[in-house]
């Protein structure tokens, strides 16, 4: 078994600071409630058949007023329908969509979470002090289009993959690591939650856990395991993944951190100068080892 990485104390400290500053985070039992139901079966990658261990949706309730009236969520939600989800199909970005991307970036840059992130990145010389430069840098990392398939036109970007989700040649779900998109797709009956994924021989997660591994189907395909933060704001995820992306030029960067009671591995894949994918893996919670 691969050796577990040492805990990154510097990032743990920073991410806890961001967690505490995340005033837009939705709180379990107050702003939303979920129903974990049954444990999902093992599904081999590429298979689209899975037993449904959850007859009800994952989300029982979400404070829609807060989603609509909090600027970072409302500008974020407006981006979710801007993409052609199938890889290999070239994306066309309209001037309106470009304006929506900029509006979203302006909203997140106004938050305490992104201000702290910018300060940290400037201190490390990974970002320029000027906010305009930082915004341009974020635009390139997250919204610049690239091709996931050789010989095809630009069909993807970091934002689409991580937050919206894609399908690979119509056979497999890629990305989709965001709870707001999950909730909205579930509401439209496009996503069917199949159950939670627990580590070998360990107990079920807790319904207050703000990091979950789950199985679901979307657009006729099954994602055997998808890890997502639940309830955190778009700016919080944006901050974490950007910081880890800018840390190294490696194809894959993994950092083990402790945020609140969660021990996580944050994984970021690089696609050249852009984010390929990014997601959290829950290692343990409340000191209960999930492996």
């Amino acid at each position: 078994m691969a050796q577990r990485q040492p805990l990154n104390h510097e990032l743990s400290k920073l991410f806890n600071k961001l967690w505490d500053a995340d005033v837009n985070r939705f709180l379990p039992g107050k702003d939303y409630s979920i129903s974990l139901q049954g444990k999902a079966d093992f599904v081999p990658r590429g298979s689209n058949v899975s037993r449904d261990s959850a007859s009800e949706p994952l989300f029982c309730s979400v404070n829609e007023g807060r989603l609509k009236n909090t600027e970072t969520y409302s500008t974020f939600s407006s981006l979710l329908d801007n993409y052609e989800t199938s890889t290999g199909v070239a994306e066309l970005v309209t001037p309106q969509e470009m304006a929506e991307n900029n509006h979203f970036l302006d909203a997140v840059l106004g938050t305490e979470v992104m201000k702290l992130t910018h300060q940290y990145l400037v201190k490390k010389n990974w970002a320029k002090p000027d906010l305009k430069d930082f915004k341009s840098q974020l635009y390139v990392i997250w919204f610049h289009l690239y091709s996931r398939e050789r010989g095809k036109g630009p069909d993807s970007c970091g934002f689409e993959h991580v937050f919206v989700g894609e399908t690979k040649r119509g056979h497999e779900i890629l990305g989709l690591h965001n709870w707001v998109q999950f909730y909205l797709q579930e509401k439209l009956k496009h996503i069917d939650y199949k159950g939670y994924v627990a580590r070998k021989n360990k107990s079920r997660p807790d319904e207050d856990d703000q990091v979950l591994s789950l199985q679901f189907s979307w657009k006729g395909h099954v994602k055997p395991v998808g890890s997502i933060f639940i309830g955190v704001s778009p700016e919080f995820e944006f901050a974490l993944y950007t910081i880890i992306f800018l840390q190294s030029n490696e194809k894959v960067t993994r950092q083990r951190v402790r945020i609140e009671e969660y021990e996580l591995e944050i994984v970021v894949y690089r696609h050249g100068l852009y984010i390929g994918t990014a997601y959290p893996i829950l290692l343990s919670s409340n000191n209960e080892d999930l492996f």
Side-chain angles (χ1 to χ4, degrees), residues 84 87-91 146-149 153-157 160 166:
E84 167 53 64
T87 61
V89 179
E91 294 284 352
Y146 52 77
S147 179
R148 280 195 185 268
E149 302 197 10
D155 61 357
S156 183
C157 68
E160 176 187 10
E166 302 178 282

Side-chain angles (χ1 to χ4, degrees), residues 17-34:
K17 214 168 155 185
L18 299 182
W19 180 269
D20 292 341
D22 191 14
V23 294
N24 290 332
R25 187 169 74 250
F26 277 40
L27 301 176
K30 182 182 174 216
D31 301 306
Y32 72 88
S33 60
I34 60 170

Side-chain angles (χ1 to χ4, degrees), residues 24 70-77 104 107-109 111 233-235:
N24 290 332
T70 307
E71 199 185 9
T72 57
Y73 286 104
S74 60
T75 55
F76 172 82
S77 300
F104 168 68
V108 298
L109 286 167
T111 64
S233 69
E235 58 267 28

Side-chain angles (χ1 to χ4, degrees), residues 36-41 51-55 193-196:
L36 288 165
Q37 300 161 80
K39 182 178 173 181
D41 276 354
R51 192 168 67 87
D52 198 338
S53 303
S55 55
Y193 170 62
K194 302 287 188 185
Y196 65 86

Side-chain angles (χ1 to χ4, degrees), residues 164-233:
V164 184
E166 302 178 282
T167 55
K168 186 177 183 180
R169 299 191 200 94
H171 294 305
E172 191 184 338
I173 298 169
L174 303 175
L176 209 167
H177 297 288
N178 177 260
W179 75 272
V180 177
Q181 168 71 336
F182 192 100
Y183 165 67
L184 294 172
Q185 288 290 303
E186 193 175 61
K187 211 174 117 183
L188 291 168
K189 302 210 169 0
H190 293 168
I191 273 183
D192 183 12
Y193 170 62
K194 302 287 188 185
Y196 65 86
V197 179
R199 301 294 163 191
K200 280 185 237 139
N201 314 322
K202 293 296 171 186
S203 64
R204 61 188 274 123
D206 190 81
E207 291 185 348
D208 283 351
D209 276 349
Q210 293 203 269
V211 191
L212 289 177
S213 293
L214 14 121
Q215 189 180 98
F216 59 92
S217 65
W218 183 54
K219 303 195 174 211
H221 312 296
V222 172
K223 179 130 187 170
V225 187
S227 286
I228 57 177
F229 281 106
I230 308 270
V232 302
S233 69

